[in-house]
Amino acid sequence: MAIKDLTKVQKILFICNGGTCNKNNAADENTVQLRTHLTEHDLNDEIHTVRTKCLGQCTWGPMIFMHPEGLWYKNVNLDTTREIVTQHLMKNELVLENVHFPEAELVDSKPLTLKSHQPNE
């Protein structure tokens, strides 16, 4: 297994894979899809994902907890994983319909510092 350079990590996403969140393999599919979107957008250095056991928010699952914001996303599905990457992580815009806690206006979301890609000369 490769060693992740923690000096590049800007955010950590904890993806609930507890029993309720993983009904019908939903959490497994969310985890795979989220990681696929991160790879597609070249964000694996900036974003670290952790598959967890139960996060204790079963009523609203599947859940994703984002650090350092302290933000909880609820009712996560395959579309939400794409929106978390393309909307929240890339544009610093919350996926409002899935914000669970805290209230959206209280979230102190920090934009990513993205590496610049130099064109080949």
Side-chain angles (χ1 to χ4, degrees), residues 1-9 11 43-49:
M1 179 176 277
I3 303 297
K4 188 166 192 88
D5 182 353
L6 297 178
T7 64
K8 296 179 181 178
V9 174
K11 296 181 190 282
L43 294 174
N44 285 312
D45 287 341
E46 295 84 2
I47 309 299
H48 184 62
T49 60

Side-chain angles (χ1 to χ4, degrees), residues 45-62:
D45 287 341
E46 295 84 2
I47 309 299
H48 184 62
T49 60
V50 179
R51 184 187 301 236
T52 71
K53 293 194 180 221
C54 183
L55 290 174
Q57 298 296 307
C58 304
T59 302
W60 299 280

Side-chain angles (χ1 to χ4, degrees), residues 100-115:
H100 175 59
F101 182 85
E103 294 178 20
E105 55 273 2
L106 299 177
V107 175
D108 185 17
S109 184
K110 307 279 192 271
L112 291 175
T113 304
L114 298 175
K115 55 190 163 202

Side-chain angles (χ1 to χ4, degrees), residues 13-82:
L13 303 182
F14 296 87
I15 309 155
C16 185
N17 275 250
T20 302
C21 285
N22 206 25
K23 282 184 183 170
N24 301 318
N25 293 321
D28 283 334
E29 292 173 5
N30 284 339
T31 301
V32 169
Q33 195 67 29
L34 178 68
R35 289 174 174 171
T36 297
H37 292 308
L38 291 171
T39 299
E40 288 170 352
H41 294 283
D42 198 24
L43 294 174
N44 285 312
D45 287 341
E46 295 84 2
I47 309 299
H48 184 62
T49 60
V50 179
R51 184 187 301 236
T52 71
K53 293 194 180 221
C54 183
L55 290 174
Q57 298 296 307
C58 304
T59 302
W60 299 280
M63 302 291 294
I64 290 180
F65 174 75
M66 186 178 294
H67 174 79
E69 283 93 335
L71 173 65
W72 295 78
Y73 276 119
K74 65 182 177 182
N75 301 320
V76 174
N77 59 39
L78 299 179
D79 290 332
T80 313
T81 63
R82 177 181 37 77

